[in-house]
Amino acid sequence: MNIILQHYDGELNDLAKASVENILRYAVKIGAEHELVIGKPFREHLTSPCQKVCCISEKYDKYDNVLMLDPDVFVVKGLT
């Protein structure tokens, strides 16, 4: 079982919304789960980039592979 995580701290802008939709479609295509992690799930006092460390949480131990992406990443056309 695999999961693709995306993290965003704040209100999603148009680019982030498009990325989340794109990555969600890709996750479905490859049979992976997808989760959008919002806010500061790791440590309140740390910066947004540091919040991505939440992917090592025990919550995700059941997955074989955990991928954390920024919400400005897109799967390119024709990717197999």
Side-chain angles (χ1 to χ4, degrees):
M1 211 166 40
N2 301 314
I3 189 167
I4 301 174
L5 305 173
Q6 289 184 280
H7 171 260
Y8 199 78
D9 187 13
E11 188 173 331
L12 293 175
N13 59 31
D14 290 340
L15 178 68
K17 288 176 186 176
S19 172
V20 169
E21 179 60 32
N22 176 267
I23 297 301
L24 176 58
R25 283 194 313 268
Y26 178 68
V28 169
K29 180 178 179 178
I30 65 169
E33 293 184 29
H34 177 268
E35 182 180 331
L36 176 60
V37 181
I38 299 287
K40 296 187 176 189
F42 184 59
R43 300 283 189 272
E44 187 66 33
H45 66 283
L46 294 176
T47 64
S48 289
C50 293
Q51 298 301 324
K52 289 166 181 51
V53 174
C54 74
C55 70
I56 64 170
S57 167
E58 290 178 356
K59 174 181 178 179
Y60 303 111
D61 283 353
K62 64 183 178 183
Y63 295 97
D64 298 314
N65 296 290
V66 178
L67 173 62
M68 173 62 83
L69 298 174
D70 285 328
D72 61 355
V73 173
F74 290 84
V75 175
V76 297
K77 292 181 179 180
L79 183 66
T80 58

